[in-house]
Amino acid sequence: MTDLRYEAPATADAAIALLAKATGTTRILAGGTDVLVQLHADMIEPELVVDIKRIPGLNGISREAGGWRFGATATGIELMDHEGFSKAWPGIIDGVKLIGSMQVKGRATVAGNLCNASPAADSVPPLMSSGVIATVVGPNGKRDIPVSDVCTGPGKTSLAKGEIVTSFFVPDAPPHSGSAYLRFTPRTEMDIAVVGVSVNITLDASGTCTAATMALGAVAEKPILVPDAAKALVGTKVDEAALDKLAAVASAACRPIDDKRGTKIFRIKVAGVLAKRTAAIALQRAKGGAK
Amino acid sequence: MGRPPSPFGTMIKYEPKALHVIGGKPTDRPDAIDKVTGRARYAADINLPGQLFGKVLRSPHAHANILSIDVSAAEKLPGVKAVVTRDDFPDMEVEYAASGELMINFKDVTRNMMAREKVLYDGHPVAAVAATSEAIAKKALKLIKVEYEVLPHVINVVEAMQPGAPVLHDDMFTRGVEPKPEKPSNVALRMTSKLGDVEAGFKKADVIIEREYNTAATHQGYIEPHASVAHYTDGGVAEVWTATQGHFVFRAQIAKLLKMDISKVKVTPCELGGGFGGKNNVYLEPLAVKLSQKSRRPVKMVMTRDEVFRASGPTSGTNVKVKMGATKDGKITAAFAEMNYQAGAFAGSSLGLAAITVFTRYDLENVLVVGHDVVCNRPKVAAYRAPGAPMIAFGVEGVVDELAEALKIDPIEFRLRNAAKEGTQTHFGPKLARIGYIETLERAKQLDHLKIPLGPNQGRGVATGFWFTLGMETSATININEDGTASVIFGTVDVTGGMRSAFSMIVAEELGITADKVRAIPSDTSVLGFNFMTAGSRGTTAGSMAVVKATRNAIARMCEIAARKWGVDQDQVVFENGHCRPAGSNVGDFEPLSVPALAKEASYYGGTIAGHAEINVVNQGPGFGTHVVDVEVDRQTGAVKVLRYSIVQDAGKAVFPDFVKGQWHGAAAQGIGMALNEEYLYNDKGQMINAGFLDYRIPVASDLPYLHAEIVEVPNPNHPYGVRGVGEVPIIPPIAAIANAIYDATGVRVYEQPFSPPRILAALDAVAPKMAAE
Amino acid sequence: MARHHVNCTINGDHVDYLCDTSQSLLDVLRDELELTGTKEGCATGDCGACSVIVDGVLVCSCLAMGAEMNGKSIETVEGMASGNELHPLQRHFIDKIALQCGICTPGLLMASRKLLERNPDPSEEEIRFWLAGNLCRCTGYNNIVDAVKAAAAEMRGA
């Protein structure tokens, strides 16, 4: 056990420099709701923890041209409480609301949920199906990448050494769009998704689907986009037949494992069930319904 | 359970009378204010000057021989003050003792607290360290080198019973089998219990149902991890502050395991953060004392949640076969059960208790119960609220539901036709005294719950439960203070805080004063004679018997003071409504003396007023309950939602009714948790893979409906106020009631607990094609 | 091992302490400052027994580092009553028998207090979902729901 160092730099550059210089394992401390669990259980023995919460500019939720931007240290509760954002992106909020208890959401961040790289992270499928872009800063400068390119496997990301996610850009959806996320867990709360499904739907004025995206969680080594979702829904009124097709597409996209939280068979079947239910909510929202 | 009840035991017959305090609400709860302000002291809140932190090194293997243990590097680490292993503890002979509701064997207890020849489960202690900080202690654990020879392991109870299964103990030859088996096995005990002739009984039956059930091991899930602080003085005395349900029993076990005199061990029970039977056994205590002795410093040890799950006692997982037959008019003619119960790494499951409860709701002529106590590579089971009973009730109440259905009789009506009552002969010995089972069924029929219509995919289930009430050694002392207030010191651990209220109320009732003038104080082991632990629903029932006896001693003393003051014989004084009065008008015209007045006079007339009782309570009255549940099943995901839940139970007499209901809510919630999601999960190496509150899923607030509780009162004939044990019965019916409700909702019977979504979905999908074809 | 020197406010009092990086806020409260009212049930954020309020936000103190607390304002159960005057939630928890063993109570009180700050009139469902992060094994939650409702009514002046 090495002596663990804690640093709380005041700038992103300083944080990057610290991370880049470190020789051993490092962890970024945003909400800390995963890092402290891993430390407590001796699952990780990092030499350095870099607290990014004191860096100005990494927090907050704001409008900018063509969309919303929120920072890497914005907590779940900050997002849920933000009237404008939560009204615009109910699907993302569906996911955020499910990241642990109120206590956990008071600390946990979407950036942390993403970079912890759990296949079952609840906020990640809605970010993916909503086309959210992560802004990444590192020793070699800044780059914007789709959230769907960040997680590469359980606990693994495409970020290079010294890189940190600093914010997310959520591009505005066209009119008549709706999004939703549902997960299945044995308990109503305080649980890890056995299956998570996010669906975004855009309709034209007549109610015909013009665009659809779907992302799944907990059914593969990472959250996955399901491109065939568009084939199932686009051009339809998102009727029962289209929803059945979507369910089949969702189940077909699963490549799950048997583990303590669920079986393969269960995950594959329930992915389809949830795809239908999620799409129904997204459709309702696209039509301007309350839920 | 060892010897039959003592003929020298104490029992006070029911004394019907008008009550002023009992059955109401106390003006305060003595324990509660400190609990809401954060000042109540639990074991982990105790800190002593110079204290060290102790940590335990645990086996990562389910089954292995220990070839060597090298602690030299750990001992050299700066800050490490003591290390202990098996070599620091004396070996123990086979010797049985009661510990809570289960029996223990000291040969096993010493091996469970610290492995000797072998490790027998993932989490089994191998060494312990005391250091100046927790971080150093953890670092030291990593420096201990243990060489293991890994052996094949067995987790499942049925597999453990098979010939050729890995044998945990070479010296285990099944008891209860004649002649003694030639080979050792994992079956520690085979027991049978019978009444009448089951074969003849089944011949009379028009319908016979025979089913097999499996249940998973579940944990008590108390929120407070085990914690102990030990201080071994230079004078050779061990002082221990700990999380326990029985400080006197712990004292005896610590003394035995460390070869100390009992007089040199003092145990103080701290405020207890939940036990439910799981804090009936020593785990950390002997290790902390030994580390303190070696380091000459106080040592504090606190388990992590992971350790609690891996190494403290869950309940038995089981495999059970139940066969029952009934005539067309709904009379049960015969009942058979085979019960295979996991004991964990050492013999001693809850089998014996389960065997008592199996059919004891029904008035039966022909019963056969066969049971096996089976060891396997899991932590040693501990008691868990009505130990062993919920699992066998799942089977029996399920078969009863199927019989009722086959005979087209309402399930409550079917039970009424077969209900146990006063005089019912049990298969295990005694005849039942006055009980309230029928009254709970009749009350359940009146529930508004039953009138609520069910929607699609919703179903309703009924199940019932029985649990006895333990007596055992119980002591109490009461002091009437100089101002006439009373202090009552009791020796059962107040596991929920309710005992302090109940005892205050009972003493107030006896003394004719208000409950706020009585302070009930939990004792340490130095101020009272031996008390058995808070187990078997005995805390308030047996505890109050000692409290009543002690109070009546003090009342006799007050009558003596009045007699001396008045210059009359003591038998010419009576105590009524809080006053000593002349027994009749012929005694003389004396002003009645109140308790405060008597207290004031006590010194002159002979000294302080006190009373005490040290008794062995016997013949406690059992409790019965009937539960009704509504569920909704999501046919596409297998999720089961509990919509409504009603608990009806005979409390005998509820001393503090709101608190009694609170216990029932909690017990039912635990049973619902067992039914829906709770289970121990293992990987193929025999390691537990859900040792935390995230994946061992106890119910959260949003999982449960509002739980409705109704108290029925059929006084216990063997208690002065008619009180019955109340805490355990309500965990028994939920698994069965929910299984029966799932059937009502879906048409599918489930025979394996928990009823987790993947299992329910698979069961629904398995019959879906068949149903479609029909 | 260098220890961190942290200045913060706890229940309105200025406090400074030294801690290791490995110590959580919960460890600091219990082991360094002897504020043992905040309980440890799991140390992994799954039981809520260690709930405290940091800068107005309800958190699990086991999931925050002691080293992070410079300049923060921390509220624990010890600061809930004003002198000898119990907070309405504390009173109603006692009155409704919302506690038995009491180990989960400090966390539940902190969580309930935050709920009522945000929502003075929560429904049963809102209470149950807000408190889902606080495990209680004794009560089955019924009486906790009742106590929160009763306290809410009193605090609203209803």
Side-chain angles (χ1 to χ4, degrees):
Chain A
M1 187 164 74
T2 51
D3 289 344
L4 173 61
R5 205 148 57 94
Y6 165 85
E7 299 284 353
T11 65
D13 286 346
I16 291 158
L18 281 164
L19 291 165
K21 222 167 50 188
T23 51
T25 310
T26 60
R27 277 292 182 281
I28 295 166
L29 185 72
T33 53
D34 288 312
V35 172
L36 268 89
V37 173
Q38 292 161 4
L39 281 173
H40 180 80
D42 289 333
M43 284 157 64
I44 54 168
E45 289 189 7
E47 67 163 75
L48 173 68
V49 168
V50 177
D51 183 354
I52 59 170
K53 288 192 295 296
R54 292 183 186 262
I55 301 173
L58 259 54
N59 58 355
I61 305 152
S62 56
R63 281 293 301 169
E64 65 181 52
W68 292 90
R69 185 171 289 280
F70 63 91
T73 62
T75 64
I77 286 193
E78 284 167 14
L79 289 164
M80 285 157 58
D81 283 354
H82 195 284
E83 225 171 289
F85 181 77
S86 57
K87 210 171 154 200
W89 286 104
I92 294 175
I93 295 300
D94 287 342
V96 168
K97 276 185 178 167
L98 293 168
I99 306 176
S101 60
M102 295 312 302
Q103 287 86 333
V104 167
K105 283 178 287 228
R107 293 263 302 171
T109 64
V110 166
N113 202 222
L114 174 65
C115 294
N116 186 55
S118 158
D122 286 307
S123 70
V124 178
L127 297 183
M128 289 166 64
S129 64
S130 304
V132 175
I133 304 294
T135 297
V136 177
V137 180
N140 299 320
K142 186 173 125 177
R143 61 194 181 108
D144 284 335
I145 53 171
V147 164
S148 48
D149 290 350
V150 174
C151 184
T152 55
K156 293 198 174 71
T157 69
S158 61
L159 299 188
K161 186 175 166 67
E163 282 192 322
I164 58 177
V165 171
T166 55
S167 68
F168 294 94
F169 178 70
V170 190
D172 288 336
H176 311 300
S177 295
S179 61
Y181 172 78
L182 285 179
R183 70 170 183 183
F184 184 83
T185 55
R187 286 192 292 195
T188 49
E189 282 279 327
M190 300 304 290
D191 226 326
I192 303 290
V194 181
V195 178
V197 180
S198 175
V199 175
N200 293 47
I201 291 173
T202 301
L203 307 174
D204 65 15
S206 74
T208 302
C209 179
T210 58
T213 53
M214 176 165 70
L216 305 178
V219 295
E221 73 290 351
K222 57 178 184 176
I224 53 173
L225 276 170
V226 185
D228 285 351
K231 284 187 204 157
L233 299 185
V234 171
T236 75
K237 296 273 187 191
V238 196
D239 50 17
E240 196 59 24
L243 288 174
D244 283 338
K245 244 187 225 172
L246 185 75
V249 162
S251 290
C254 297
R255 43 175 194 266
I257 52 167
D258 283 330
D259 70 5
K260 62 186 173 187
R261 291 173 182 145
T263 59
K264 274 186 212 176
I265 293 173
F266 182 79
R267 287 186 155 112
I268 289 169
K269 171 149 191 197
V270 172
V273 171
L274 288 195
K276 278 183 81 169
R277 293 180 184 178
T278 314
I281 299 169
L283 177 69
Q284 206 57 34
R285 287 172 175 170
K287 288 176 173 170
K291 223 185 164 188
Chain B
M1 290 287 95
R3 281 202 287 190
S6 160
F8 308 105
T10 296
M11 182 243 293
I12 307 175
K13 286 281 171 201
Y14 176 56
E15 303 164 359
K17 62 188 162 203
L19 300 176
H20 306 286
V21 183
I22 289 174
K25 190 173 176 178
T27 44
D28 71 343
R29 263 187 60 200
D31 60 302
I33 291 183
D34 282 348
K35 287 176 179 172
V36 300
T37 58
R39 295 180 72 178
R41 298 222 295 172
Y42 298 79
D45 301 336
I46 305 288
N47 291 305
L48 298 184
Q51 149 189 300
L52 303 173
F53 297 87
K55 295 297 288 182
V56 177
L57 180 69
R58 296 180 183 277
S59 167
H61 304 296
H63 194 193
N65 287 320
I66 301 175
L67 302 180
S68 67
I69 305 173
D70 179 1
V71 300
S72 54
E75 283 175 334
K76 283 185 201 124
L77 184 72
V80 171
K81 301 296 179 187
V83 181
V84 295
T85 65
R86 55 192 176 179
D87 299 334
D88 293 277
F89 301 97
D91 202 353
M92 296 272 130
E93 298 291 314
V94 171
E95 182 181 344
Y96 291 94
S99 184
E101 289 154 310
L102 307 185
M103 295 297 285
I104 59 162
N105 172 358
F106 281 101
K107 184 186 175 202
D108 295 338
V109 174
T110 193
R111 278 166 177 72
N112 193 36
M113 75 175 188
M114 187 60 79
R116 295 185 81 84
E117 303 83 5
K118 270 178 160 188
V119 290
L120 293 158
Y121 54 93
D122 163 42
H124 199 159
V126 188
V129 170
T132 50
S133 78
E134 194 180 343
I136 294 171
K138 279 169 84 173
K139 199 185 276 191
L141 293 185
K142 291 183 184 171
L143 297 174
I144 296 173
K145 293 186 200 82
V146 185
E147 211 184 333
Y148 294 104
E149 179 194 12
V150 177
L151 301 169
H153 67 273
V154 61
I155 293 291
N156 178 279
V157 63
V158 175
E159 287 169 20
M161 292 172 72
Q162 302 307 313
V167 170
L168 274 69
H169 304 281
D170 293 339
D171 58 350
M172 183 173 281
F173 296 87
T174 308
R175 289 190 291 135
V177 175
E178 290 299 333
K180 181 182 166 181
E182 284 171 18
K183 283 190 190 164
S185 77
N186 295 321
V187 182
L189 171 73
R190 178 184 167 86
M191 55 84 60
T192 56
S193 176
K194 63 193 278 191
L195 179 70
D197 179 346
V198 279
E199 286 314 316
F202 281 121
K203 280 190 190 124
K204 285 187 212 153
D206 296 310
V207 180
I208 293 174
I209 303 278
E210 184 173 9
R211 298 285 182 255
E212 182 169 350
Y213 297 83
N214 286 288
T215 68
T218 57
H219 196 273
Q220 299 83 355
Y222 33 80
I223 309 300
E224 176 204 31
H226 295 262
S228 301
V229 180
H231 179 212
Y232 191 95
T233 70
D234 288 343
V237 171
E239 299 177 326
V240 181
W241 292 260
T242 195
T244 176
Q245 290 177 239
H247 43 312
F248 290 92
V249 175
F250 273 36
R251 178 181 66 167
Q253 294 184 14
I254 292 165
K256 168 80 77 180
L257 293 164
L258 300 178
K259 288 209 177 336
M260 295 175 70
D261 291 344
I262 286 177
S263 62
K264 288 190 174 166
V265 182
K266 177 184 168 191
V267 179
T268 303
C270 300
E271 203 66 71
L272 190 72
F276 316 112
K279 287 172 182 163
N280 285 357
N281 303 290
V282 293
Y283 297 102
L284 299 174
E285 292 81 1
L287 310 184
V289 171
K290 185 52 83 175
L291 285 168
S292 175
Q293 185 185 1
K294 277 185 101 169
S295 63
R296 299 183 61 233
R297 305 255 299 254
V299 173
K300 178 173 183 171
M301 301 181 82
V302 182
M303 282 195 200
T304 62
R305 179 54 51 184
D306 173 85
E307 290 177 290
V308 170
F309 277 114
R310 285 167 63 211
S312 72
T315 188
S316 302
T318 68
N319 165 263
V320 158
K321 298 173 189 82
V322 177
K323 179 180 175 185
M324 296 174 81
T327 57
K328 272 183 219 141
D329 57 351
K331 186 76 191 138
I332 300 170
T333 57
F336 164 79
E338 179 187 328
M339 307 164 63
N340 302 312
Y341 272 50
Q342 287 164 7
F346 300 97
S349 67
S350 49
L351 172 68
L353 303 167
I356 288 175
T357 69
V358 49
F359 295 118
T360 311
R361 288 157 318 282
Y362 304 110
D363 190 4
L364 304 177
E365 285 174 11
N366 304 301
V367 177
L368 176 62
V369 176
V370 177
H372 298 107
D373 181 44
V374 184
V375 295
C376 53
N377 295 109
R378 296 167 174 262
K380 168 76 175 76
V381 304
Y384 178 15
R385 207 168 196 158
M391 304 77 125
I392 187 64
F394 171 31
V396 172
E397 295 294 288
V399 167
V400 164
D401 202 62
E402 292 198 45
L403 281 173
E405 186 200 17
L407 295 167
K408 299 189 168 55
I409 302 173
D410 170 82
I412 293 180
E413 180 55 36
F414 182 80
R415 286 175 173 85
L416 278 168
R417 288 187 198 177
N418 294 284
K421 52 191 176 294
E422 184 172 2
T424 290
Q425 175 64 52
T426 63
H427 69 88
F428 55 90
K431 281 189 176 169
L432 294 174
R434 181 76 170 93
I435 53 165
Y437 182 49
I438 289 171
E439 286 78 357
T440 69
L441 289 163
E442 293 288 359
R443 179 71 72 86
K445 277 165 62 177
Q446 308 304 318
L447 287 169
D448 287 340
H449 183 152
L450 297 187
K451 301 183 188 114
I452 299 170
L454 294 168
N457 299 316
Q458 296 182 354
R460 181 164 292 152
V462 174
T464 62
F466 147 82
W467 193 253
F468 54 88
T469 305
L470 272 184
M472 309 284 283
E473 302 93 329
T474 314
S475 311
T477 288
I478 183 167
N479 295 312
I480 307 295
N481 303 312
E482 309 88 278
D483 60 357
T485 59
S487 303
V488 56
I489 300 152
F490 61 96
T492 42
V493 172
D494 188 2
V495 292
T496 62
M499 233 180 263
R500 270 162 279 189
S501 299
F503 292 163
S504 298
M505 293 166 81
I506 286 167
V507 171
E509 192 75 61
E510 288 277 319
L511 291 178
I513 59 179
T514 52
D516 63 318
K517 297 295 180 195
V518 184
R519 202 77 188 155
I521 303 162
S523 75
D524 61 45
T525 54
S526 64
V527 297
L528 290 176
F530 180 82
N531 270 265
F532 195 61
M533 47 189 28
T534 298
S537 294
R538 70 179 288 276
T540 298
T541 47
S544 64
M545 206 91 87
V547 165
V548 165
K549 274 240 160 199
T551 307
R552 290 178 183 181
N553 277 343
I555 288 171
R557 173 83 188 103
M558 287 192 272
C559 290
E560 182 184 52
I561 290 167
R564 285 176 178 171
K565 184 177 167 73
W566 294 335
V568 302
D569 287 344
Q570 196 178 325
D571 60 10
Q572 292 178 303
V573 179
V574 293
F575 187 85
E576 279 173 0
N577 299 326
H579 291 76
C580 280
R581 301 170 194 276
S585 52
N586 56 339
V587 175
D589 186 19
F590 301 110
E591 193 69 16
L593 289 165
S594 67
V595 174
L598 289 157
K600 215 178 260 177
E601 299 281 9
S603 175
Y604 180 80
Y605 289 104
T608 302
I609 304 163
H612 60 97
E614 295 78 25
I615 56 177
N616 185 0
V617 180
V618 292
N619 289 337
Q620 290 285 64
F624 290 81
T626 298
H627 291 200
V628 183
V629 62
D630 293 353
V631 303
E632 181 170 305
V633 180
D634 183 335
R635 285 179 174 272
Q636 293 182 303
T637 65
V640 176
K641 184 178 181 194
V642 177
L643 301 171
R644 278 176 285 279
Y645 203 100
S646 296
I647 306 155
V648 183
Q649 189 176 321
D650 173 21
K653 175 70 197 174
V655 179
F656 182 177
D658 290 346
F659 208 96
V660 166
K661 287 184 181 178
Q663 282 240 352
W664 296 356
H665 301 150
Q670 287 178 324
I672 293 169
M674 281 182 179
L676 297 185
N677 286 307
E678 294 183 34
E679 60 179 323
Y680 266 52
L681 296 171
Y682 286 87
N683 64 16
D684 58 6
K685 295 192 176 96
Q687 295 161 325
M688 187 183 178
I689 53 171
N690 61 334
F693 277 140
L694 186 60
D695 286 308
Y696 183 91
R697 301 184 179 94
I698 78 172
V700 302
S702 48
D703 291 336
L704 296 174
Y706 202 82
L707 306 158
H708 176 72
E710 284 198 21
I711 296 173
V712 170
E713 293 186 330
V714 176
N716 173 4
N718 298 333
H719 186 281
Y721 291 103
V723 175
R724 296 181 192 273
V726 294
E728 294 180 286
V729 172
I731 201 176
I732 299 171
I735 302 176
I738 290 171
N740 294 342
I742 290 170
Y743 172 73
D744 191 42
T746 63
V748 175
R749 294 268 176 199
V750 283
Y751 299 102
E752 189 169 4
Q753 162 277 338
F755 315 132
S756 54
R759 187 169 285 155
I760 297 296
L761 189 62
L764 292 169
D765 285 352
V767 301
K770 202 172 91 197
M771 289 174 87
E774 285 162 6
Chain C
M1 194 184 313
R3 305 190 89 202
H4 306 277
H5 184 203
V6 176
N7 280 280
C8 62
T9 303
I10 301 182
N11 299 324
D13 296 329
H14 172 257
V15 171
D16 72 322
Y17 59 82
L18 294 172
C19 73
D20 294 339
T21 309
S22 64
Q23 286 178 293
S24 65
L25 172 58
L26 174 63
D27 296 334
V28 168
L29 291 171
R30 292 183 53 82
D31 301 337
E32 302 296 325
L33 304 173
E34 298 205 324
L35 287 166
T36 54
T38 304
K39 303 302 180 190
E40 176 174 319
C42 68
T44 50
D46 300 314
C47 80
C50 68
S51 299
V52 300
I53 294 170
V54 177
D55 281 355
V57 179
L58 180 71
V59 304
C60 286
S61 58
C62 72
L63 294 184
M65 284 185 162
E68 295 178 65
M69 293 296 132
N70 247 325
K72 302 281 184 192
S73 172
I74 299 157
E75 296 162 74
T76 71
V77 71
E78 286 93 344
M80 200 160 171
S82 338
N84 287 326
E85 185 78 20
L86 294 181
H87 188 280
L89 276 163
Q90 292 174 310
R91 261 192 292 108
H92 288 286
F93 263 61
I94 296 174
D95 186 58
K96 298 286 183 195
I97 315 179
L99 58 135
Q100 291 177 33
C101 86
I103 197 86
C104 66
T105 308
L108 273 158
L109 286 167
M110 298 309 283
S112 302
R113 187 175 126 186
K114 195 71 215 168
L115 167 64
L116 297 188
E117 273 172 39
R118 289 170 63 103
N119 181 354
D121 190 11
S123 66
E124 177 178 342
E125 192 182 0
E126 285 168 331
I127 294 169
R128 286 183 182 273
F129 275 88
W130 182 275
L131 296 180
N134 292 82
L135 298 181
C136 170
R137 194 64 156 168
C138 293
T139 66
Y141 305 103
N142 262 35
N143 295 355
I144 292 168
V145 171
D146 287 348
V148 174
K149 275 191 172 170
E154 181 186 321
M155 288 163 73
R156 287 195 311 273

